[in-house]
Amino acid sequence: MNASFPDGFLWGGATAANQMEGGFYEGEKGLNIADVLPGGKERLKILMEPGFDFEIDKTKYSYPNHEGIDFYHRYKEDIALFAEMGFKAFRMSIAWTRIFPQGDELEANEEGLAFYDRVFDELHKYGIEPVVTISHYEMPINLVKEYGGWRNREVVTFFERYVNAIFTRYKDKVKYWMTFNEINSGLMMPIMGLGFSIEKEEDKYQATYQAFHHQFVASSIAVKACHEIIPGSQIGCMIIFAPVYPFDANPENILYAHQEERLFNNFCADVQVRGEYPAFINSYFAKHGIELDIREGDLELLKEHTVDYIAFSYYMSRTEKKEKSEMEQAQGNILAGVKNPFLNASDWGWEIDPTGLRVSLNKLYDRYEVPLFVVENGLGAYDEVEQDGSINDDYRIDYLREHITAMKDAINEDGIEIMGYTSWGCIDLVSASTGEMSKRYGYIYVDKHDDGSGTLERKKKKSFFWYKDVIATNGENL
Ligand code: BG6
């Protein structure tokens, strides 16, 4: 077998509980943030603007996450399809609200624990390694409303209870963990990651960074507990990485791109991997009047319990200019920036840049020198089911081929250690940013539509057979 990907490379796919499980009222599950987010383009507006009340209003909106793709009942069928593709790993999240429905109970919910036992057992039946995100935009709504989300230090205690419960229960079933999905997304979308809506611009900085501090402490508590309870386990942080390119050689733009990258891409990983606040953040804190409440022992905890690896999502790069007009903004791209003249964009305005993945891998490895895990990457696209039932998603295959090639080059030519690749939404699921079903990423099509209609039937797309061959040849056939 060609050695271009290391033996044991974790090929697979990635998902999140709130975007696929459904079973929203079942198993004593409590309400979480994703449950109160409506479907459709309205969602993005809610996520980016102040004043969200975290209430369900069915007279105005639909809520696609409530049914998801019904993985809660169909996990056996879905896992069998993943096994048919030859998955070595499956990234999924545990819904905190299945284990602690309100978040602040003292005892874990047995029905929730038992559900994930069944899922992990099913994965192991086929030799698929579960890779588990502990918190993927699924904070219990009770912690949002009664405690103010991650702004409140008490939430750290609730999180500690949650991680102890899941590590103890699944210690023989799960070896790979990660703490907070895309932790740095809290800078753009605090509702999903941090559990609160920014009310006034002037509160933004203090609230956001205090909440991050609590998550960093919670992350170190989780790392410590994971290593103690599950010997041989590996636990990572999880960030969005979108390399920031300067628009041109104007030194002002180069400096600006560097500053943006450090603040958005690196800040959280700096703390979680190196175990300390980076020097550059002090002047930023001073400039924005941020004074963190850091308790005795926090800094030692951060230093002693750093993560084992960096998991990251990569969808696009970002191009920046210090002074930009509205006209120049990259349309639809949630990470903003200006349009890059060398790149095409997806139907949702996400600029497609396979080389950017290699750039990201290099930047991350240069800075941290710890193993990297590409846990999200993929193309959200409209798919068409042909008369004969086939789905010919060549555009998706092209996207994935080019990104996997970039990763292969990073391993072989740049000497980077990569643990695995779990492409996003290996089975179609509800989009996180827009709540749409029509933004599809999967190798497996799910018959469900934006208006809620559909049979939920699963169908193999052309990319299903392509990815199966990629895995079978360990990335030799692309
Ligand atoms: C990441 C998230 O931001 O990107 C996923 O971790 C999300 O939850 C994925 O689904 C793709 O984004 P979207 O908005 O297209 O679903």
Side-chain angles (χ1 to χ4, degrees), residues 22 30 62 162 170 197 234 247 299 330 344 365 369 412 440 461:
S62 64
Y162 166 52
Y170 306 125
S197 167
Q234 295 196 46
F247 180 72
L299 296 179
N344 294 320
Y365 206 62
E369 292 190 333
N412 294 297
R440 297 175 182 273
K461 302 183 195 176

Side-chain angles (χ1 to χ4, degrees), residues 14-16 18-19 43-44 47 91 133 136-137 181-182 185 188-189 192 238-240 313-316 334 348 350 375-381 424-425 429-436 439-441:
T15 58
N18 74 83
Q19 292 169 256
R43 178 183 294 202
L44 197 52
L47 292 174
R91 176 178 174 229
T133 318
H136 192 130
Y137 301 150
N181 181 64
E182 295 188 332
S185 70
M188 296 172 323
M189 298 186 295
M192 293 210 292
M238 192 322 197
I239 57 171
I240 303 185
S313 63
Y314 175 81
Y315 293 93
M316 62 191 127
I334 50 170
W348 279 263
W350 294 19
V375 294
E376 283 189 36
N377 172 238
L379 180 70
W424 177 252
L429 37 63
V430 180
S431 151
S433 59
T434 60
E436 291 165 296
K439 190 180 189 189
R440 297 175 182 273
Y441 287 87

Side-chain angles (χ1 to χ4, degrees), residues 15-24 26 29 32 65-74 92-95 97-98 115-116 119 138 429-430 458:
T15 58
N18 74 83
Q19 292 169 256
M20 63 159 2
E21 280 181 5
F24 141 81
E26 291 173 69
K29 179 184 157 293
N32 64 37
N65 297 63
H66 293 187
E67 188 186 32
I69 55 159
D70 196 32
F71 180 80
Y72 190 73
H73 298 108
R74 295 169 194 245
M92 53 180 276
S93 65
I94 292 179
T97 47
R98 288 203 186 281
F115 169 66
Y116 293 107
V119 173
E138 281 144 347
L429 37 63
V430 180
R458 277 58 171 154

Side-chain angles (χ1 to χ4, degrees), residues 11-296:
W11 293 103
T15 58
N18 74 83
Q19 292 169 256
M20 63 159 2
E21 280 181 5
F24 141 81
Y25 281 126
E26 291 173 69
E28 304 287 321
K29 179 184 157 293
L31 271 187
N32 64 37
I33 290 172
D35 291 327
V36 301
L37 290 173
K41 309 267 186 214
E42 279 295 306
R43 178 183 294 202
L44 197 52
K45 236 174 100 204
I46 288 174
L47 292 174
M48 308 299 272
E49 287 176 6
F52 181 51
D53 61 5
F54 295 94
E55 293 292 341
I56 293 178
D57 182 353
K58 288 196 174 167
T59 62
K60 268 167 86 183
Y61 303 118
S62 64
Y63 293 88
N65 297 63
H66 293 187
E67 188 186 32
I69 55 159
D70 196 32
F71 180 80
Y72 190 73
H73 298 108
R74 295 169 194 245
Y75 65 93
K76 286 193 180 174
E77 181 191 345
D78 293 341
I79 291 171
L81 287 166
F82 302 152
E84 193 183 327
M85 269 188 282
F87 276 21
K88 312 286 181 217
F90 175 56
R91 176 178 174 229
M92 53 180 276
S93 65
I94 292 179
W96 188 347
T97 47
R98 288 203 186 281
I99 311 301
F100 288 94
Q102 302 302 313
D104 57 359
E105 297 93 335
L106 293 175
E107 297 297 326
N109 170 35
E110 177 54 33
E111 268 197 82
L113 289 168
F115 169 66
Y116 293 107
D117 264 328
R118 295 196 290 277
V119 173
F120 296 143
D121 290 345
E122 196 66 18
L123 289 167
H124 285 302
K125 188 168 117 186
Y126 297 103
I128 301 174
E129 203 64 63
V131 175
V132 174
T133 318
I134 296 170
S135 180
H136 192 130
Y137 301 150
E138 281 144 347
M139 181 179 229
I141 212 75
N142 176 51
L143 299 187
V144 171
K145 289 191 174 165
E146 298 301 318
Y147 297 87
W150 280 101
R151 256 179 312 202
N152 189 330
R153 177 89 190 196
E154 248 186 299
V155 170
V156 175
T157 311
F158 304 140
F159 185 80
E160 182 170 8
R161 213 174 279 152
Y162 166 52
V163 296
N164 279 326
I166 58 178
F167 292 155
T168 307
R169 178 73 168 225
Y170 306 125
K171 63 179 189 311
D172 299 323
K173 299 185 181 179
V174 183
K175 209 163 78 189
Y176 297 99
W177 299 87
M178 61 194 86
T179 48
F180 296 101
N181 181 64
E182 295 188 332
I183 183 167
N184 50 336
S185 70
L187 286 168
M188 296 172 323
M189 298 186 295
I191 289 177
M192 293 210 292
L194 302 176
F196 56 85
S197 167
I198 305 282
E199 294 312 317
K200 286 189 271 157
E201 184 65 15
E202 61 266 32
D203 295 340
K204 181 168 123 189
Y205 297 98
Q206 180 65 30
T208 303
Y209 286 91
Q210 188 62 53
F212 274 142
H213 180 70
H214 293 151
Q215 289 195 325
F216 297 148
V217 169
S219 164
S220 283
I221 288 174
V223 171
K224 180 172 186 284
C226 188
H227 289 154
E228 282 172 5
I229 300 172
I230 318 178
S233 59
Q234 295 196 46
I235 179 161
C237 60
M238 192 322 197
I239 57 171
I240 303 185
F241 201 92
V244 186
Y245 303 153
F247 180 72
D248 55 23
N250 178 343
E252 288 294 325
N253 290 335
I254 290 175
L255 179 64
Y256 182 65
H258 174 69
Q259 288 168 332
E260 283 294 297
E261 175 154 293
R262 220 170 38 172
L263 191 64
F264 183 72
N265 287 335
N266 293 125
F267 167 64
C268 293
D270 283 351
V271 182
Q272 292 180 288
V273 180
R274 294 166 162 176
E276 54 195 36
Y277 280 90
F280 77 83
I281 206 71
N282 293 325
S283 51
Y284 184 82
F285 282 178
K287 182 170 159 200
H288 295 286
I290 301 166
E291 284 181 32
L292 292 188
D293 174 12
I294 297 179
R295 308 268 167 99
E296 204 189 323

